Amino acid sequence: MKNNKKIIIGAIVLVVLVAIFAICWNVFGAKPTAGSKHITVEVINGSSETASYELDTDAEFLRQAMDELGDQGFSYEGQESEYGIMVEVVNGEQAIYTTDGAYWALYVNGEYGQYGCDSQPVTDGETYTWKYELAQ
């Protein structure tokens, strides 16, 4: 009987300690931030006007970050393919090669992009530019 009483008291103390630890963890533990990467997305339209959007994000790829920019007025549309989206409209301006003889080029820190937005990795401090370009 004395042994059972010690076991019950020990179990109650253990449960109370675990509960106290859980409360302390929730109150004082690390909190998620708004986004660990700060990036800029620019749009240079057919009239050479520039719009710039700042974003703090945890996105792995550019398309995910672009989706987060909708509340800032940034928009895009395109055709899905097995290689990802082919961006044809940015902020309401169309650039379809077969129709307009133009396309939306992606630049990363001023250099012509090597990937589409579905596979372009997002890195802290980088600038991603969508530029309306006429085919030559």
Side-chain angles (χ1 to χ4, degrees), residues 106-121:
L106 176 61
Y107 290 85
V108 180
N109 293 327
E111 299 289 325
Y112 198 81
Q114 301 299 308
Y115 304 100
C117 66
D118 286 300
S119 55
Q120 174 60 55

Side-chain angles (χ1 to χ4, degrees), residues 11 40 59 61 109 112 114 128-129 133:
T40 302
F61 298 105
N109 293 327
Y112 198 81
Q114 301 299 308
Y128 304 94
T129 304
E133 293 190 349

Side-chain angles (χ1 to χ4, degrees), residues 42 44 62 85-87 95 97 101-117 119-121 126-136:
E42 293 180 332
I44 303 174
L62 182 58
I85 191 168
M86 176 63 157
V87 176
Y97 179 75
Y103 63 98
W104 285 104
L106 176 61
Y107 290 85
V108 180
N109 293 327
E111 299 289 325
Y112 198 81
Q114 301 299 308
Y115 304 100
C117 66
S119 55
Q120 174 60 55
E126 290 195 331
T127 298
Y128 304 94
T129 304
W130 286 104
K131 185 175 181 187
Y132 182 96
E133 293 190 349
L134 292 171
Q136 298 187 21

